[in-house]
């Protein structure tokens, strides 16, 4: 292996953890800001605009999103939206629950130390 290849490999070895931590922090911060912008009583349309994309939808009567929750969305919740930071080493997710009227009933942060 020539000297240039060794230097490039060494640079990648040093940069990879820094890039990973930076990306994880960026995702966490941006999703936390979007979650914080959601208020109880917001409509699904308003929440969708704030969250942009990347959420998982759990319907009432269906299976719980067991990656984070131990119980499924049940009345008065008719739909729960999950936002995740899959790059986090531990649990980091946010959920927003909607009622029959399509408005936010409750929002929860899910994290593990």
């Amino acid at each position: 292996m020539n000297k240039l290849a060794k230097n490039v490999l060494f640079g990648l070895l040093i940069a990879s953890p820094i890039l990973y931590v930076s990306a994880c922090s960026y995702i966490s911060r941006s999703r936390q800001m979007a979650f914080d912008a959601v208020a109880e009583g917001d409509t699904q349309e308003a929440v969708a605009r704030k969250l942009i994309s990347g959420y998982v939808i759990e319907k009432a009567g269906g299976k719980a999103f067991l990656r984070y929750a131990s119980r499924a969305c049940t009345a008065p919740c008719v739909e729960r939206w999950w936002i995740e930071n899959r790059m986090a080493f531990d649990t980091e997710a946010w959920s927003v629950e909607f009622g029959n009227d399509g408005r936010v009933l409750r929002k929860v942060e899910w994290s593990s130390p």
Side-chain angles (χ1 to χ4, degrees), residues 18-97:
I18 294 168
L19 291 173
Y20 180 84
V21 169
S22 297
C24 185
S25 295
Y26 173 78
I27 290 168
S28 179
R29 189 175 29 245
S30 64
R31 295 197 175 160
Q32 183 67 52
M33 288 173 56
F35 179 78
D36 289 343
V38 172
E40 287 185 15
D42 281 355
T43 64
Q44 287 182 323
E45 294 79 21
V47 174
R49 282 193 304 273
K50 292 172 184 177
L51 299 182
I52 309 293
S53 65
Y55 49 88
V56 175
I57 298 174
E58 173 192 343
K59 301 278 189 182
K63 292 183 181 179
F65 197 53
L66 294 176
R67 201 173 299 154
Y68 308 106
S70 58
R71 65 176 180 76
C73 171
T74 55
C77 172
V78 296
E79 196 167 276
R80 184 188 290 157
W81 292 5
W82 289 94
I83 307 96
E84 306 175 84
N85 182 356
R86 287 192 166 188
M87 291 189 74
F89 287 118
D90 286 324
T91 300
E92 185 175 34
W94 303 264
S95 65
V96 179
E97 295 180 5

